[in-house]
């Protein structure tokens, strides 16, 4: 055998596809790829299917950005049925120094020939008249999540009413019992969140608790917020979604959910935006790229983004917030986007928004 042939043979033996003949070997391969921040190797261990095709790729991309060097993967309670299996995935990792996270998720595995691939969380379908509602396969969650079924069309109609954007009737909504398990399926580096959406992914939300009326309003608020992200992404077109700055995404989503936010909460949001405008304002350009924004500035993105959208909504026609998003989606040039709304530059738009908020 030549040296080249030997090297190729060695590479083939190390291929992820040849290192997962059992679920335990698959767990080891996932762990090795995650610790190394090797996104291509991690993707090679995944089974394509539905929204998980995109969700798994985005999860892998985060591994490359911030490799969880101490993450451990372990499958237990594996039940093999034909070419598939269900199991519980135990994940343990350090998200930030001193913050160790531990989650257990019901998951699916798929056998392709002689190897196993990871197929993401296991869900129970919940009957609904529109879209697809899925509850994480943990005891009792599907029954509790049934209350969300009639709320899906209400949230979609609110996005249409406020922004004129259409939420597709086949939208997929995945329900989780808590923020820890939801966030662990998005990015290992993500702090716990109660809702999530990215282009091509499902809407993900935590089932709200509390008194029925309060839980319903909370669910409608989160659904409307996340449906707005979905609708904006689709309307912006391929690639356009990524050119819209993060602060504007969040501003639009929070603005659309106004009807389902209590007066006290809405007033608190406005007060925080006004306070930032008077002191502590972070330039909007520094809040444009979600992965690059430090966690201690997330509140600025949410509050300042909403404040800017509220300011734009006062302009004639009331559709300036979405027109700004459309202009950004074209090429990402913020000065050109601002000029599309009649401002001399983006700096002029930002200065006007900040002055309006400071005086409110």
């Amino acid at each position: 055998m030549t040296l080249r042939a030997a090297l190729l043979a060695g590479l083939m033996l190390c291929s992820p596809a040849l290192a997962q003949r059992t679920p335990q070997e698959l767990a080891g391969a996932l762990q090795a790829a995650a610790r190394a921040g090797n996104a291509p190797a991690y993707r090679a261990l995944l089974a394509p299917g539905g929204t998980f095709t995109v969700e798994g790729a985005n999860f892998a991309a985060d591994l490359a950005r911030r490799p969880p060097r101490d993450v451990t993967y372990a499958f237990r309670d594996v039940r093999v049925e034909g070419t598939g299996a269900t199991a519980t995935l135990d994940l343990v990792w350090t998200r930030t120094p001193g913050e160790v996270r531990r989650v257990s998720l019901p998951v699916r595995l798929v056998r392709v020939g002689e190897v196993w691939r990871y197929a993401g969380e296991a869900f129970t379908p919940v009957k609904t008249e529109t879209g697809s509602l899925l509850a994480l396969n943990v005891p009792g969650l599907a029954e509790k999540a049934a209350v969300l079924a009639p709320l899906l069309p209400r949230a979609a109609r609110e996005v249409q009413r406020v922004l004129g954007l259409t939420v597709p009737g086949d939208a997929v909504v995945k329900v989780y019992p808590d923020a820890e398990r939801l966030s662990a399926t998005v990015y290992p580096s993500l702090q716990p969140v109660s809702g999530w959406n990215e282009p091509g992914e499902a809407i993900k939300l935590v089932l709200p608790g509390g008194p029925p009326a309060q839980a319903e309003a909370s669910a409608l608020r989160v659904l409307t917020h996340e449906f707005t992200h979905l609708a904006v992404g689709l309307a912006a077109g391929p690639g356009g979604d990524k050119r819209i700055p993060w602060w504007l995404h969040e501003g639009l989503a929070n603005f659309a959910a106004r009807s389902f936010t209590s007066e006290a909460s809405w007033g608190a949001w406005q007060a925080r935006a006004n306070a930032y405008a008077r002191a502590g304002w972070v330039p909007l350009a520094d809040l444009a790229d979600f992965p690059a924004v430090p966690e201690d500035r997330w509140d600025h993105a949410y509050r300042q983004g909403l404040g800017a959208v509220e300011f734009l909504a006062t302009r004639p026609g009331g559709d300036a917030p979405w027109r700004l998003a459309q202009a950004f989606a074209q090429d990402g040039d913020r000065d050109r986007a601002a000029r599309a709304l009649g401002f001399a530059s983006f700096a002029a738009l930002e200065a006007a928004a900040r002055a309006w908020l400071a005086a409110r």
Side-chain angles (χ1 to χ4, degrees):
M1 178 182 292
T2 65
L3 178 60
R4 176 181 174 81
L7 288 172
L8 288 174
L11 288 172
M12 290 179 65
L13 289 172
C14 295
S15 169
L18 300 179
Q20 50 200 24
R21 293 162 297 180
T22 67
Q24 292 73 22
E25 288 182 346
L26 172 60
L30 288 164
Q31 176 175 296
R35 288 184 175 186
N38 189 334
Y42 194 90
R43 289 197 304 269
L45 300 166
L46 306 179
T51 59
F52 180 69
T53 299
V54 178
E55 292 164 13
N58 287 340
F59 185 99
D62 186 66
L63 297 176
R65 289 191 294 266
R66 304 176 185 88
R69 304 294 186 187
D70 64 345
V71 67
T72 61
Y73 279 70
F75 292 129
R76 58 181 170 86
D77 302 329
V78 178
R79 295 182 177 85
V80 178
E81 295 182 6
T83 59
T86 59
T88 297
L89 169 62
D90 293 324
L91 278 176
V92 182
W93 75 102
T94 301
R95 193 186 76 87
T96 61
E99 181 190 355
V100 178
R101 296 188 61 193
R102 295 178 174 84
V103 296
S104 295
L105 293 163
V107 298
R108 298 184 304 111
L109 311 177
V110 175
R111 186 165 54 195
V112 181
E114 297 300 316
V115 300
W116 287 93
R117 298 186 187 276
Y118 178 54
E121 310 96 279
F123 293 97
T124 300
V126 178
K127 185 177 180 181
T128 179
E129 297 299 323
T130 181
S132 179
L133 183 60
L134 306 172
L136 191 68
N137 195 13
V138 298
L141 185 61
E143 291 78 11
K144 294 176 182 177
V147 300
L148 298 177
L151 306 185
L152 303 185
R154 287 180 61 186
R157 287 195 297 270
E158 190 67 8
V159 176
Q160 175 68 46
R161 184 186 73 80
V162 177
L163 297 175
L165 300 178
T166 300
V167 176
D170 60 352
V172 178
V173 177
K174 295 179 178 178
V175 185
Y176 297 78
D178 52 62
E180 288 73 22
R181 276 179 278 194
L182 184 160
S183 304
T185 71
V186 177
Y187 296 153
S189 67
L190 185 67
Q191 63 175 286
V193 296
S194 60
W196 184 264
N197 181 250
E198 281 280 281
E201 297 187 6
I203 300 290
K204 297 188 176 190
L205 78 154
V206 174
L207 183 67
Q214 178 182 325
E216 178 178 291
S218 179
L220 283 166
R221 184 174 64 253
V222 176
L223 280 169
T224 304
H225 181 110
E226 302 304 337
F227 274 163
T228 299
H229 286 315
L230 177 62
V232 167
L234 291 173
D241 175 88
K242 295 298 183 183
R243 290 189 284 270
I244 299 173
W246 182 41
W247 63 263
L248 183 52
H249 271 293
E250 298 301 340
L252 289 167
N254 286 317
F255 185 72
R258 168 66 181 92
S259 292
F260 306 123
T261 306
S262 70
E263 290 299 326
S265 294
W266 191 255
W269 274 74
Q270 291 181 317
R272 183 69 66 86
N274 300 344
Y276 283 147
R278 298 178 191 121
W281 184 270
V282 174
L284 294 177
D286 294 343
L287 305 172
D289 182 20
F290 168 68
V293 179
E295 287 184 8
D296 61 4
R297 289 188 169 184
W298 282 20
D299 190 65
H300 290 267
Y302 284 98
R303 316 294 180 159
Q304 293 181 199
L306 175 59
V309 167
E310 286 192 283
F311 161 71
L312 291 171
T314 65
R315 296 178 67 80
D319 62 346
W322 172 236
R323 288 196 290 116
L324 180 65
Q326 287 179 300
F328 264 112
Q330 291 181 8
D331 59 14
D333 187 303
R334 58 178 178 265
D335 285 327
R336 187 173 300 153
R339 288 196 294 271
L341 269 63
F343 292 92
S345 64
F346 185 77
L349 184 158
E350 184 170 5
R354 185 176 179 185
W356 183 82
L357 290 168
R360 185 167 60 173

